[in-house]
Amino acid sequence: MTPPPAMADAMSPLSRPRDSRANIDIMAPTKGAPWPYLLALGLAILGVVQGFLVLAYQAYVGLGVAGYQQPIFWGVYIITFVFWIGIGHAGTLISAILFLFRAKWRNAVNRLAEALTVFAVLTAGLFPVLHLGRLWKVYFLFPYPNQRALWVNFKSPLLWDVFAISTYASISIVFFYIGLIPDIAMARDRATGGKKIVYTILALGWQGTGPQWKAHSRSVLHLSGLATPLVLSVHSVVSWDFAMSIVPGWHATIFAPYFVAGAVFGGFAMVLNVLIPVRRIFRLERYLTDYHFENMSRFILFTSIICGYAYGVEYFIAWYSNVEFEQSSFWLRAFGPYWLSTWAMIVFNCVFPQLLWFKKLRTNLPFLFALCFFINLGMWFERYVIIITSLSREFITGSWGLYIISPVEIAVIVGSFCWFSMWFLLFLKAFPVIAIAEVKELIIHAKDHGGAH
Amino acid sequence: MATVVSIFELPSNTASAIRKLKDRGFDDLTTYSPAPFPEIEEAEDASPSKVRVFTLVGGLSGVTLGFLMQIWMSLEWPIKIAGKAFAAIPPFWIVGFELTILLGGFFTLFGLLIVGGLYPRKLDKHYSSRFSAEEFGVVVHCEERDVSEVEMLMRGESAKEVTVVDS
């Protein structure tokens, strides 16, 4: 396989300055802080502050201000929780699963995807806490010794979720950090002043010796082996929060694979939504080529088809089951008060992505950016449809209701996006957005083997 | 004792140089590489990494801890839920699995730190920022009488630079 143009260029001795070109290019975004960056960071922090203020108001007044009323007690917070957890899945898929499959193209995108995973999980983790209402009781979720000797219910999917999400957050952070160590050491070798001190501490004395690389490679391999079943389990466990109940529209065995495919689908869309502007703003075209976007587009197309199949199967099973509650639930999804969300979900997630069958569109970045924006919207609506339509029409007509998003919930959602953006913007200035050591592995390998890798 | 520091441009030359040094009995050597290259790792030390032991111990501890914790906590204050046994094994697999991964992952990290000798410390005397650019370093500690042999061997493997220090 011929290397992408960027690598062929970087391999040329004439074009290569004294330091590695990859080091210079990829570390460039960490230098300085131009006003558009500071403005974006300022707005993100402002959004976070307003989110916390609104949260304080909700904590003081009660969850009623968040639109929680009979019969809907799982609202936008749970929807957005599932949305953010899903976003993280692409990162783990790229960093762990594609690593095990030796898909070398992942080397250019895995760092950013892993960072998005960590920040998405940090964002998702907020929502179960917000959903509690009494935020200060959050420790009740964990098994802790108490004077009543009363432990948590290990037979509940909600408790499984606590363990799944905590493990996912921990392993994602460990994976992210281990991958960063060689690049932090590289940054340490070139930094001065306070930055050098911080990098020196974080690099843990990394020098790229044989035993260090050997231990590092094995650690990444083992963590990939652990993270692969983990990522499949996390969204499966999230799906069981619903599927283990008997609520019509939720009680389906297809939920686990359906949720996992949807998570990867939405996650890839978010990676592209972030990657495309980052590539343009920081001029990383040499490293993030059409080849990468085409591969990611194929993933999106593939997972979109799985989602479409899952949507179809849900309707088929509802009809085939001959259970009137299931049938009504799905009829109401398409033609009830929330029909707009359902059709938005179907069009954004199943119809629009079919355009990716065209090769030209798979590498058309403005098109991909717009498509991924709609996919993200569609994935949020997917969770909205699953949660709200089912809860608003349960078995007894007396407990039917209509759900309307409250301003408090909108403010908290905005705050969550700002929280995610804030971490991402801080990451941009602290660490390289592309795994430099892994890119250099490809560049040097190509140089050593006459352009083939 | 003398130290010979050689700089290489390609991993294949570096690996070949390491193999030849080892064949001649020069075992006291350190290599520096900007990226992972299996050929260099194998030339230096072909034995499997001990990190795998940490991962295994972590995973086994996790699954054991996961099940024991759930069984003990369920029996300490027995509450009948959904007609299941107090210590019902099938639903415990979920938390058991998650703790397997969690401890397996943490132990892998500890393994990396211990086996790789990673902690904030002073860097080696002969380490250079060139090794975090795109060059490879091989540092050989040998007797004074062997310096010329090592130097010739390195140059024979297309070393870009060979420097003798501490002589």
Side-chain angles (χ1 to χ4, degrees), chain B residues 61-98:
Chain B
S61 312
V63 71
T64 312
L65 179 79
F67 275 98
L68 289 181
M69 177 186 79
Q70 292 178 92
I71 292 168
W72 174 69
M73 288 177 181
S74 303
L75 295 177
E76 211 214 1
W77 186 293
I79 300 174
K80 202 72 173 168
I81 296 163
K84 296 184 185 78
F86 296 127
I89 299 303
F92 290 178
W93 270 107
I94 312 291
V95 172
F97 167 79
E98 298 298 342

Side-chain angles (χ1 to χ4, degrees), chain A residues 74-75 78-79 82 242 250 383-391:
Chain A
W74 280 17
I78 298 298
I79 294 164
V82 181
F242 307 99
W250 287 5
R383 281 72 178 236
Y384 183 88
V385 167
I386 292 170
I387 294 173
I388 302 300
T389 58
S390 289
L391 284 182

Side-chain angles (χ1 to χ4, degrees), chain A residues 180-213:
Chain A
L180 266 173
I181 292 174
D183 287 356
I184 296 175
M186 183 280 298
R188 169 204 65 200
D189 293 345
R190 285 149 188 82
T192 51
K195 263 193 166 183
K196 191 176 183 77
I197 296 170
V198 175
Y199 285 143
T200 302
I201 295 166
L202 291 175
L204 300 173
W206 178 270
Q207 302 173 105
T209 62
Q212 286 180 343
W213 274 121

Side-chain angles (χ1 to χ4, degrees), chain A residues 111-124:
Chain A
R111 170 66 46 73
L112 191 121
E114 283 168 26
L116 292 188
T117 297
V118 170
F119 305 141
V121 178
L122 286 182
T123 312

Side-chain angles (χ1 to χ4, degrees), chain A residues 16 20 23 148-149 151 153 155 189-190 204 207-210 212-214 218-219 222 230 233 437 440 448, chain B residues 9 11-12 31 33 44-45 47 49 52 55 73 76-77 85-86 97-98 116 119 124 127 129 132-134:
Chain A
R16 192 158 48 84
S20 159
N23 287 352
R148 293 165 294 157
W151 299 102
N153 176 13
K155 290 158 197 156
D189 293 345
R190 285 149 188 82
L204 300 173
Q207 302 173 105
T209 62
Q212 286 180 343
W213 274 121
K214 189 178 201 171
R218 298 314 287 182
S219 306
H222 294 172
L230 174 68
S233 84
K440 273 192 281 193
D448 201 8
Chain B
E9 194 141 15
S12 55
T31 58
S33 162
E44 200 176 350
D45 178 11
S47 63
S49 171
R52 67 207 168 112
T55 311
M73 288 177 181
E76 211 214 1
W77 186 293
F86 296 127
F97 167 79
E98 298 298 342
Y119 53 91
D124 293 350
Y127 175 77
S129 61
S132 59
E134 281 182 29

Side-chain angles (χ1 to χ4, degrees), chain A residues 10-11 13 16 18-23 143-144 148-155 159-160 163-168 170-171 174 177-178 181-182 185-186 188-190 200-220 222-223 225-227 229-230 233-234 237 240 436-438 440-445 447-449, chain B residues 9-13 30-42 44-49 51-53 55 69-70 72-74 76-77 79-81 84-88 91-92 94-95 97-106 108-109 111-113 115-125 127-136 160:
Chain A
M11 277 153 41
R16 192 158 48 84
R18 231 178 125 194
D19 192 3
S20 159
R21 182 169 199 155
N23 287 352
Y144 69 98
R148 293 165 294 157
L150 189 61
W151 299 102
V152 289
N153 176 13
F154 287 105
K155 290 158 197 156
L159 197 272
W160 302 343
F163 278 84
I165 303 301
S166 311
T167 303
Y168 190 44
S170 309
I171 296 298
V174 168
Y177 179 58
I178 288 183
I181 292 174
M186 183 280 298
R188 169 204 65 200
D189 293 345
R190 285 149 188 82
T200 302
I201 295 166
L202 291 175
L204 300 173
W206 178 270
Q207 302 173 105
T209 62
Q212 286 180 343
W213 274 121
K214 189 178 201 171
H216 189 270
S217 305
R218 298 314 287 182
S219 306
V220 172
H222 294 172
L223 275 172
L226 293 170
L230 174 68
S233 84
V234 169
V237 170
W240 294 335
I436 304 180
E438 294 188 35
K440 273 192 281 193
E441 183 189 348
L442 295 182
I443 293 170
I444 297 169
H445 189 83
K447 191 163 62 176
D448 201 8
H449 294 81
Chain B
E9 194 141 15
L10 297 175
S12 55
N13 292 340
T30 311
T31 58
Y32 300 98
S33 162
F37 290 96
E39 58 263 48
I40 296 178
E41 289 163 27
E42 275 167 33
E44 200 176 350
D45 178 11
S47 63
S49 171
V51 172
R52 67 207 168 112
V53 178
T55 311
M69 177 186 79
Q70 292 178 92
W72 174 69
M73 288 177 181
S74 303
E76 211 214 1
W77 186 293
I79 300 174
K80 202 72 173 168
I81 296 163
K84 296 184 185 78
F86 296 127
F92 290 178
I94 312 291
V95 172
F97 167 79
E98 298 298 342
L99 288 184
T100 308
I101 304 290
L102 184 68
L103 265 70
F106 278 140
T108 303
L109 174 66
L112 167 65
L113 301 183
V115 176
L118 293 179
Y119 53 91
R121 65 187 164 99
K122 212 174 159 191
L123 300 179
D124 293 350
K125 189 177 167 188
Y127 175 77
S128 158
S129 61
R130 294 170 72 175
F131 306 144
S132 59
E134 281 182 29
E135 290 170 310
F136 298 80
K160 252 168 89 178

